[in-house]
Amino acid sequence: MDDVLLRNLTPSVLGILVRRGADFAAAEDAVQDALVEAVRGWPADQPRDPKGWLVTVAWRKFLDATRADTARRRREDLVDEEPAPGPAPAVDDTLQLYFLCAHPSLTPSSAVALTLRAVGGLTTRQIAQAYLVPEATMAQRISRAKRTVSGVRFDQPGDVATVLRVLYLVFNEGYSGDVDLAAEAIRLTRQLAAAIDHPEVAGLLALMLLHHARRAARTAPDGSLVPLAEQDRGRWDTELIAEGIEILQAALARDRLGEFQAQAAIAALHADAPTAEETDWVQIVEWYDELARLTDSPVVRLNRAVAVGQADGPRAGLAALAALDDSLPRHAAVAAYLHERDGDLTTAARLYAEAAQQAPNLAERDHLTRQAARLNARRSH
């Protein structure tokens, strides 16, 4: 098979799909899938019209993906805006698809990326942001995963840990407001918790419920972000908080601590505080220490620096921050917050403006820009 021919035909085929009405990202995925079929089938039987063959197969792949996406969105539309507490409803096939995409032939990271793209409905850019890697890198990872499982029988489901990671990332994207999938992630996690007795499944469900309970208070009427400390706690959903804490306590009692239980414990301490000033930051730092031990994640250590700044003062928080790579997402925003609390408004304003330029979404960028403007106004008076 002529690899050069395939490379030369790809831009033309992609252009034809876009002109037919496919958006670029979907067209790119469809062409990649068609190329996988070409790699598998052409050595034995190359078509007389390679370009026509690629266009036909890619367009069919695009239509199949569009129909699947429409069906997925229809399922989401059936989910109430707020997930109701209590037993899970009847199980559909979505959760099974998550397990099948987490195939043993894939590495965990590739399985998560493929599942998020194929079943979760997230874009390659959103997945790349979640993994802190360039979009091009994630596109290659997903393409490799597709090639790996092409022709593989999906009769060996993946492990629970991989599926939990996918559900966690889907919830985070839905919770951020970029894609409204938070309720769907909770629904599937309820199903999983009802199906298997696993403390980390319970921990993830508790974490989702505790975060989702605050959703109504996270934005102002104009759509701007409201920081946790400034949220109207009267708008928090106390039923979801109570359910989340009950589930978490039962999981922790089993003494098989995992990262989702630790994250849920931190969320529970925030939810349990009557006011921001009464938050038990010392305990939160202790839970971040446990979480860092479990995950060794630089993002966890970044969040821990904020907690240290609250528990022991802003200079202690800045000292914890100094040990971290300043290229981490939101590093500048954390540094700005800690410098502001330390009274260095000039540095804080500069860092807020820098953080705004790096913000992953419009709402966060606007919030950070307003923070910089607020401090600049204070300095000028």
Side-chain angles (χ1 to χ4, degrees), residues 318 331-337 339 346-356 368 372:
L318 287 167
H331 185 283
V334 170
Y337 172 74
H339 277 291
T346 301
T347 301
R350 175 179 59 79
L351 287 168
Y352 275 130
E354 179 183 321
L368 293 167

Side-chain angles (χ1 to χ4, degrees), residues 262-280:
Q263 287 191 57
I266 293 169
L269 287 167
H270 284 298
D272 201 40
T275 65
E277 292 73 24
E278 295 174 87
T279 303
D280 190 343

Side-chain angles (χ1 to χ4, degrees), residues 99-107 111 149 152-158:
F99 273 96
L100 291 177
C101 283
H103 197 271
S105 63
L106 296 172
T107 64
V149 299
V152 172
R153 289 186 61 190
F154 283 85
D155 54 1
Q156 293 179 274

Side-chain angles (χ1 to χ4, degrees), residues 98-167:
Y98 274 70
F99 273 96
L100 291 177
C101 283
H103 197 271
S105 63
L106 296 172
T107 64
S109 61
S110 294
V112 170
L114 178 62
T115 313
L116 288 171
R117 187 72 184 91
V119 187
L122 304 188
T123 66
T124 303
R125 175 173 296 178
Q126 289 167 329
I127 301 168
Q129 288 174 346
Y131 271 90
L132 311 180
V133 299
E135 184 176 354
T137 300
M138 183 52 66
Q140 291 174 353
R141 183 180 300 177
I142 293 172
S143 294
R144 285 197 300 270
K146 289 179 179 178
R147 288 195 297 270
T148 299
V149 299
S150 63
V152 172
R153 289 186 61 190
F154 283 85
D155 54 1
Q156 293 179 274
D159 66 349
V160 173
T162 301
V163 174
L164 288 180
R165 177 65 50 192
V166 174
L167 290 168

Side-chain angles (χ1 to χ4, degrees), residues 209-242:
L209 295 176
L210 290 165
H211 278 306
H212 206 68
R214 302 200 303 259
R215 187 172 188 178
R218 292 185 73 245
T219 54
D222 63 359
S224 60
L225 291 180
V226 180
L228 176 61
E230 300 171 20
Q231 289 177 14
D232 177 1
R233 298 183 180 222
R235 299 184 66 196
W236 290 1
D237 188 325
T238 54
E239 288 188 10
L240 283 184
I241 290 173

Side-chain angles (χ1 to χ4, degrees), residues 189-214:
T189 307
R190 284 193 187 281
Q191 287 186 4
L192 189 56
I196 62 174
D197 184 19
H198 193 297
E200 272 294 82
V201 175
L204 178 59
L205 179 57
L207 176 64
M208 289 178 174
L209 295 176
L210 290 165
H211 278 306
H212 206 68
R214 302 200 303 259

Side-chain angles (χ1 to χ4, degrees), residues 21 49 52 63 76 87 127 178 241 252 292 308 311 332 361 371:
D49 180 9
L63 292 177
E76 292 168 15
I127 301 168
D178 295 330
I241 290 173
L252 291 175
V308 169
N361 57 66
Q371 295 293 83

